[in-house]
Amino acid sequence: MAGIGFSYKKYIAVIALQIVLVMTVLDVTLVNVALPVIAEKFAISSSTAIWLITVYQLVITMLLLPVSSIGDLFSYKRTFLTGVTLFTLSSALCAASQNFTMLVVARGLQGIGAACVMGVNIALVRLIYPREILGRGMALNAMCIAIATAAGPSIGGAILSFASWHWLFLINVPLGIIAFIIGWRLLPHNPVVDHKPPFDWISAVENMVVFGLIFYALGNFSRKGDILLSSILLIVGIVVGVFYLRRQFRHEQPLLPVDLFSNSMYSMSIATSVCSFIAQNVTMIALPFLYLKSYHFSEITTGLLMTPWPIATMIVSPIAARYVEKHNPGATAATGMMVFIAGVILLLFTGDAPSEWNIAWRMAVCGVGYGMFQTPNNIVMVMATPVHRTGGAGGMQSTARLVGQTLGATAVSTVFALTSSNSMGVTVCLVISALFALCAGVLSYTRTLGHKSELHM
């Protein structure tokens, strides 16, 4: 490894990125597990407790592109360290919260810190890893996310079995301190550029308004909230979005990277990401209803049945990363989506009373397909952008993920509201998942036509 310029110090620098990435992902799954406990502690309803998840994800969505732009213009390293500091301090504030309002505010601050970290993560990976092994860095990201996703519920349950909910947040403090020290000493600085345009504060505000209103409205629709209010917020968000887009086309280095969308490779990669995350989230949200209500498995068994997917993704991602070092990543991603579709179709035909094993291996097929897709798709997206715009590209990729996940959750809610039975709803959701995965696969394959030389690393 040293022969291609990847020193042990860079390995240690990568540890800082992965520690914080795992923290930000775990903070969703851990809190999910603790919601009933927190609701009882503060004497609030379950629907109110869900605000702990909503505010965290909403703040991240609103701020991803602004903080990515700040990283591009000033420093990925300083943006990352600011995010780590804020995330760590707000984690301590969460643990110290004396009432639910204080806890929600602290979770919002955590979201700001998480946005800073997520917005520049891919940019820092690109600066750390040489071009020829960049896929391994992307795969490590995917693997850490898969591990955190798979292990989160178990870790949360284990902590709650012997300690109070406060410790779900306190564990972030020592990890955050370690990540800050490593990052401060070893993370690289931005490449030197001749000219830096000023930060566009007006676009930053417009971005927050657009994504905040639209995502809040979509979430409210899925929760069957006030339809009139949600509709008004959605319309206002769309109107502001029109002015926001017009401003982006006039800006030298736009916050929303519309300049990068002129590159067909990049724009197709973003569209592919949105489709794939819709497919993934629709399936992941719908299946527990099938296992619990139709197959009558226990909560523990249902949780275990969801685990083969992220474990398979974790195993396959680094293999796919090494494979695309010498082969076409677009074609590999397209193949991954076809494998994913095969897994979804297999889940459609499990029968009326399948065994746990018959479900588990089908879930693993979905995970294998997603592992083959995710890392190669991210590689195509990153390599299609200039180095000095990697922050914006990475922020847009994370935004695409959140857009896909939100649309997927809204789709599941809508389908369940319109179908007459639970099993029918899940069937429709799996068909929708397969169709969006097919779109992602077709877009991935389309990128290989006429761009073969660009796609080879």
Side-chain angles (χ1 to χ4, degrees), residues 145-388:
I145 291 172
I147 291 172
T149 302
S154 300
I155 293 173
I159 291 174
L160 291 173
S161 67
F162 66 84
S164 70
W165 62 268
H166 304 82
W167 285 95
L168 298 175
F169 299 105
L170 283 174
I171 60 173
N172 291 330
V173 175
L175 293 174
I177 293 172
I178 293 170
F180 181 89
I181 293 172
I182 296 174
W184 177 65
R185 291 178 61 88
L186 297 177
L187 283 176
H189 293 282
N190 289 33
V192 177
V193 294
D194 295 331
H195 171 66
K196 292 182 180 180
F199 182 70
D200 188 355
W201 288 100
I202 295 176
S203 290
V205 173
E206 289 177 336
N207 179 88
M208 289 186 281
V209 171
V210 171
F211 280 99
L213 291 182
I214 292 177
F215 274 72
Y216 179 80
L218 291 176
N220 224 26
F221 280 127
S222 68
R223 291 188 294 271
K224 299 180 181 179
D226 188 323
I227 301 298
L228 178 60
L229 175 63
S230 300
S231 300
I232 292 172
L233 293 177
L234 183 60
I235 292 170
V236 173
I238 292 172
V239 171
V240 176
V242 171
F243 290 98
Y244 174 51
L245 278 174
R246 291 176 62 183
R247 183 176 180 83
Q248 298 314 291
F249 281 108
R250 298 195 304 266
H251 204 271
E252 178 183 354
Q253 188 164 319
L255 196 73
L256 181 71
V258 291
D259 56 323
L260 299 179
F261 285 115
S262 61
N263 183 323
S264 61
M265 294 283 289
Y266 178 80
S267 57
M268 281 193 289
S269 296
I270 291 297
T272 302
S273 287
V274 172
C275 290
S276 69
F277 282 114
I278 291 175
Q280 180 197 48
N281 222 36
V282 166
T283 308
M284 293 291 273
I285 293 174
L287 285 177
F289 289 92
L290 180 69
Y291 301 157
L292 283 166
K293 297 185 180 297
S294 298
Y295 297 158
H296 305 294
F297 289 124
S298 67
E299 288 83 356
I300 294 175
T301 301
T302 297
L304 290 173
L305 288 174
M306 300 301 292
T307 304
W309 182 324
I311 288 178
T313 299
M314 175 187 70
I315 294 171
V316 171
S317 287
I319 298 173
R322 286 181 177 268
Y323 180 80
V324 298
E325 288 173 8
K326 296 182 179 179
H327 299 85
N328 190 307
T332 305
T335 303
M337 277 292 98
M338 296 305 106
V339 174
F340 175 86
I341 291 171
V344 171
I345 292 173
L346 287 168
L347 286 168
L348 278 168
F349 296 99
T350 52
D352 295 330
S355 67
E356 290 89 338
W357 164 249
N358 276 332
I359 293 174
W361 73 262
R362 288 169 166 84
M363 294 292 286
V365 172
C366 291
V368 168
Y370 214 80
M372 290 175 64
F373 163 81
Q374 191 174 33
T375 299
N377 185 67
N378 288 345
I379 290 171
V380 174
M381 181 203 70
V382 171
M383 298 311 296
T385 61
V387 174
H388 72 280

